[in-house]
Amino acid sequence: MKPVSELLAKRPSAIYQVGPDVMVFDALQSLADHGVGALLVMDGERLVGIFSERDYTRKVALQGRNSRDTLVSAIMTPNVVAVSPKTGTRDCMALMRQHRFRHLPVVDGARVLGMISIRDIMDDIIADHELTIAQLQSYITS
């Protein structure tokens, strides 16, 4: 499997983020605007958490909170597990499975490079399998 830096290179370089002092409603609007399921929570240049649809449903909707009156910092997932750009996609998948999350920030030291999702990992696995199948078919027919 390849390093996650190769997955990031195939995507737009935008890093979708929100500040910890933003209202949850506005963060939800940002999720919808960008068509993503999670945002990095950044305090300046520092990664302080992740805000996801799952955070909203479990910590706002199910607890009867109001998204217009709740700060992202109150419901975000803190203590984020992150990987380096050299981490292999198979290792990322293992981390996601072990910790039961679907989004994984990629950092180089303290610098945030982006975020990958379980969909990115699955797309990569499928592409690898399709390539292997095509090579085997070519080998068999030659």
Side-chain angles (χ1 to χ4, degrees):
M1 286 269 172
K2 60 183 67 103
V4 294
S5 59
E6 289 187 30
L7 295 183
L8 289 177
K10 295 178 183 178
R11 305 172 53 195
S13 61
I15 297 175
Y16 302 122
Q17 63 185 20
V18 66
D21 57 345
V22 169
M23 292 297 167
V24 169
F25 182 85
D26 297 320
L28 289 171
Q29 185 63 57
S30 187
L31 288 176
D33 291 346
H34 299 299
V36 296
L39 300 169
L40 295 170
V41 182
M42 304 288 293
D43 188 3
E45 296 292 316
R46 190 170 65 96
L47 176 64
V48 296
I50 291 182
F51 170 75
S52 69
E53 296 164 328
R54 192 179 275 182
D55 291 320
Y56 171 73
T57 58
R58 292 180 180 178
K59 299 173 189 169
V60 175
L62 290 177
Q63 293 181 9
R65 292 182 180 188
N66 184 332
S67 64
R68 293 184 190 272
D69 298 330
T70 304
L71 293 174
V72 166
S73 61
I75 67 159
M76 70 182 188
T77 301
N79 306 320
V80 177
V81 174
V83 296
S84 82
K86 295 178 182 178
T87 305
T89 54
R90 192 174 303 273
D91 291 334
C92 291
M93 186 169 61
L95 275 172
M96 290 173 158
R97 186 173 50 240
Q98 176 187 354
H99 295 286
R100 296 178 182 246
F101 49 66
R102 296 178 275 192
H103 300 90
L104 193 56
V106 180
V107 298
D108 188 10
R111 194 173 122 226
V112 176
L113 302 178
M115 185 162 50
I116 60 168
S117 70
I118 193 69
R119 179 179 300 264
D120 297 322
I121 301 289
M122 294 306 297
D123 288 347
D124 183 60
I125 290 169
I126 290 167
D128 279 353
H129 286 182
E130 288 173 346
L131 178 62
T132 300
I133 290 168
Q135 289 172 339
L136 289 171
Q137 286 175 332
S138 175
Y139 175 75
I140 290 170
T141 58
S142 63

